[in-house]
Amino acid sequence: MSQHLMNASRNGLENGESFHKFFEQWLVEQSRDLDQLVRASKDNSNHRILSPLIQRVVKHYEEYYTAKSRYANVDVLGMLHPSWRSNLEDAFLWIGGWRPSMAFHLLYSKSGIQLEANLHELIRGFSTGDLGDLSGSQLGRIDQLQNKTIREEKKLSENLAKVQESVADASMVELSNVVSELIREQRGQVDEAEEEKIKTNIGNKEEGLLDVLKKADDLRLRTLKDILRILTPIQAVHFLIAAAELHLRIHEWGKKKDADVSHQNRHARQ
């Protein structure tokens, strides 16, 4: 299935297909990964199977970002505002994806839930081995990683702001005035020279957006991997389960909400 997805990504680019089709196929694979992770979490007596499973799931994330990078080279604007996402998901996007610091909130939330569920066993001195059983050393490393990630996140947000502000730089303001004058004088006609300037200027802005997007995706993937390195194999399984469940359910809830709103709008027009 994994090789099939990579082939689909390459063929999709060659055939001019959107990332939407690849994304839907990747969701199916993520759902399969989730099923395997849940089974492993319930039968963790054989720890030898956990590491290969975790590596396979991480590889699928790597393939997702590799494919995303390919498509972004063709249509960075589409990747920053993905039509295959629901309005709910779009409202929480950060530079075309999930905010890296959110991974720590996910980790702490799941840790708190599992800690509360197994508090009696922990008080009695039994180790549960899940995210509710994080050691002091692990918590310290997670805190350091979170601070580092937030700093990188802030820097990328500032870089994005600079690119966004450049839409009103001198070259764009001058060009918009020149083209507006031509439209007024020539009844909407713009010559090829000005069309080329428009293309070049917008292209420069897109290059800046592409650079920020790729760095944001790199931070997302690195954050996931760095968190997993701190966790034990069974803890990593629980974290990957929580991440997949949250992603899949929010996607489903958002799609359903969009469908409900669309139905209401059609009903209101009748």
Side-chain angles (χ1 to χ4, degrees):
M1 181 63 180
S2 179
Q3 186 61 42
H4 172 72
L5 275 178
M6 295 309 294
N7 290 337
S9 168
R10 286 189 287 268
N11 294 337
L13 278 172
E14 293 170 0
N15 298 330
E17 296 176 356
S18 71
F19 186 76
H20 191 168
K21 184 175 181 180
F22 171 84
F23 179 71
E24 291 298 327
Q25 291 176 316
W26 190 83
L27 285 180
V28 172
E29 183 157 311
Q30 186 179 42
S31 183
R32 290 189 180 126
D33 286 343
L34 176 58
D35 290 341
Q36 293 179 17
L37 288 165
V38 170
R39 285 197 297 270
S41 71
K42 293 179 178 178
D43 180 23
N44 57 20
S45 57
N46 187 358
H47 291 278
R48 288 178 297 179
I49 69 170
L50 296 181
S51 292
L53 175 58
I54 293 166
Q55 291 170 8
R56 186 161 65 250
V57 173
V58 170
K59 183 180 179 183
H60 293 163
Y61 278 104
E62 291 173 341
E63 291 169 351
Y64 171 83
Y65 286 112
T66 297
K68 186 179 178 184
S69 178
R70 289 198 188 102
Y71 280 91
N73 288 331
V74 177
D75 182 18
V76 63
L77 301 181
M79 301 308 293
L80 284 169
H81 296 282
S83 60
W84 52 91
R85 299 278 190 181
S86 65
N87 289 332
L88 175 64
E89 293 169 288
D90 190 59
F92 293 98
L93 286 184
W94 174 81
I95 313 182
W98 52 277
R99 185 178 286 273
S101 56
M102 186 193 73
F104 298 95
H105 293 283
L106 172 68
L107 175 60
Y108 289 134
S109 294
K110 191 65 178 181
S111 176
I113 291 169
Q114 292 186 329
L115 174 62
E116 185 176 352
N118 299 306
L119 187 58
H120 184 64
E121 286 79 3
L122 290 169
I123 291 175
R124 294 171 60 194
F126 294 108
S127 175
T128 60
D130 58 18
L131 293 172
D133 198 17
L134 292 170
S135 69
S137 174
Q138 285 178 308
L139 289 170
R141 292 170 63 192
I142 291 168
D143 183 61
Q144 290 178 353
L145 178 59
Q146 182 178 16
N147 291 332
K148 175 176 175 291
T149 302
I150 290 174
R151 288 195 298 270
E152 292 190 59
E153 197 176 89
K154 182 179 179 181
K155 183 177 179 181
L156 285 174
S157 292
E158 292 172 350
N159 290 346
L160 175 62
K162 290 179 182 178
V163 177
Q164 291 173 327
E165 290 164 1
S166 73
V167 78
D169 63 17
S171 65
M172 290 291 283
V173 173
E174 181 181 12
L175 183 58
S176 66
N177 175 250
V178 170
V179 171
S180 296
E181 291 291 344
L182 287 172
I183 291 173
R184 285 190 285 268
E185 294 171 2
Q186 302 178 24
R187 298 182 180 179
Q189 298 297 318
V190 179
D191 57 43
E192 291 185 7
E194 298 307 321
E195 288 285 3
E196 187 61 31
K197 289 181 182 179
I198 295 170
K199 183 178 179 181
T200 299
N201 269 271
I202 293 177
N204 290 337
K205 311 308 179 193
E206 288 179 321
E207 287 180 7
L209 291 171
L210 179 62
D211 179 65
V212 174
L213 174 62
K214 289 191 173 185
K215 288 178 179 177
D217 282 342
D218 176 68
L219 180 57
R220 280 185 265 270
L221 186 58
R222 280 192 290 111
T223 300
L224 173 67
K225 290 180 176 180
D226 288 344
I227 288 176
L228 294 178
R229 290 190 187 98
I230 295 173
L231 304 177
T232 65
I234 188 58
Q235 289 172 338
V237 166
H238 283 289
F239 178 76
L240 289 171
I241 288 172
E245 287 179 341
L246 185 64
H247 180 242
L248 290 168
R249 298 298 79 80
I250 287 182
H251 181 69
E252 290 174 4
W253 297 336
K255 287 294 185 180
K256 184 179 183 301
K257 185 173 179 62
D258 287 349
D260 290 343
V261 170
S262 178
H263 176 75
Q264 291 171 5
N265 289 339
R266 285 198 303 269
H267 182 72
R269 289 195 296 267
Q270 293 176 354

